[in-house]
Structure formats: structure tokens, C-alpha cells
Amino acid sequence: RDTGLYTCTATNAAGNASLSYSLHVQAAPQLWIGDGESHLTAVANTSLRIRCHAVGIPPAQIQWLKDGHPLDGQDGVAVSEDGGTLLVTRVGLGHEGLYICQGSNRAGLAQAEVQVSVHVPPSIEPSAVDLAIPENSMASLECLASGLPAPDISWYKGQEQLSAGAGLTLSRDGKRLQIPRARLSDAGSYRCV
């Protein structure tokens, strides 16, 4: 607002003299990420774009850091020419961490940060799908599911959702269904979701 041309004029009976000053007011950078987020969640094997907005006079030079270390051409990470956008082309668990956008100009230094968490969609390891057991013996079915955060597991016999009790036991994490004394009526199609 105060930037501009200022002139001092001295006048007397013999004439006048003037001197002009050109004033440029500099402002330290102010930075923020996206819409002001402090935490972002990305899904593994997708892309992630983080935008760092900067205002300041003169315009700030932007640098990115991850967990305190400069991000210089690391795996799958690219920075736009103006430095304002960081792009992770294919998110992996190694991209989890604290990202810092630093902006500096002749008037000062500022930074904004965002914590990035990576989620992994659930997957189930294939296992034996046909089981034959003698009547009155134990049937044990496994659902080797993984993901981040750990997925909730549900068991079904046909279209009916199963719960512990009535001759069934479920492990605490839901990954194992046991029928301690299998009867003929227990035969059928079981699935975990």
C-alpha cells in the first residue's frame, strides 16, 4: 500500500529543488497448503497432489522437505516449475510422513506443513477353497486379509452373515472361523469379506 514514488520539494524566493524516492515495500511470505489442511490421507498406488500457496513481495522461492530433508528428485515425486505443487505419481508406504513447504524472499522465511498418511486397500490371500472333513471333527477356515488401517472382516455362509456362538468361534481379529464339531448341516459355501 505504501509502495510508490515520494517527492520532497524545497521552495524559497530564489527557486525550488526536489528529490524523488521510489519506495518498494517488501513483505515476508505467507504460506498455506491446499485449503489449510494439516493432514492428508492418500491411497496406495494412486497419485497425490499437494498444493502450497504463497504470497509475499517479492514472490517467494519455494522448497519442499519431507521429514526434514529436501525433496530432490526422489522416487516418483515431482515438483512443478514454480515449486507450488508437489506430485507423487504412485503413492507407496514410503511416501508417508511430514511434508513441509518453505518459502523465502528478501523479507523473510515461512513454512507450512502437512502430515500424509497412506492407506492400503484390503486384500485377501488366496487359500484352499475346498475342504473335506469327517463329521464331528473341527473345521477351521482362514481369511488372510491385510490392509491399512486393518480391515474389518465378516464371514458369511451363503447369504447369511455369521457371528460367534451357536457352534462357531471367531478369532479376535476375525481372520479365523472355527466349527469345533462340524455337523452335516454345516456343509456349504463360506466366504469372508
Side-chain angles (χ1 to χ4, degrees), residues 123-160:
S123 65
I124 298 175
E125 282 183 39
S127 58
V129 290
D130 284 327
L131 293 176
I133 58 156
E135 191 174 9
N136 290 319
S137 64
M138 178 180 295
S140 184
L141 309 177
E142 273 195 321
C143 186
L144 299 176
S146 61
L148 268 177
D152 295 322
I153 298 172
S154 299
W155 284 91
Y156 292 84
K157 179 181 180 192
Q159 298 302 311
E160 178 192 353

Side-chain angles (χ1 to χ4, degrees), residues 64-141:
W64 287 90
L65 298 98
K66 178 182 177 272
D67 297 327
H69 303 289
L71 266 175
D72 297 322
Q74 289 185 329
D75 273 353
V77 178
V79 177
S80 63
E81 204 170 306
D82 68 358
T85 302
L86 180 126
L87 175 67
V88 180
T89 50
R90 188 171 177 189
V91 173
L93 288 175
H95 293 115
E96 204 164 60
L98 183 67
Y99 288 79
I100 298 171
C101 165
Q102 277 186 346
S104 62
N105 64 14
R106 288 193 296 275
L109 172 74
Q111 68 181 38
E113 55 188 48
V114 64
Q115 182 72 40
V116 173
S117 298
V118 175
H119 285 186
V120 178
S123 65
I124 298 175
E125 282 183 39
S127 58
V129 290
D130 284 327
L131 293 176
I133 58 156
E135 191 174 9
N136 290 319
S137 64
M138 178 180 295
S140 184
L141 309 177

Side-chain angles (χ1 to χ4, degrees), residues 47 50 98 167:
S47 64
I50 306 173
L98 183 67

Side-chain angles (χ1 to χ4, degrees), residues 27 29 54-62 104-106:
V55 292
I57 301 170
Q61 297 290 317
I62 294 178
S104 62
N105 64 14
R106 288 193 296 275

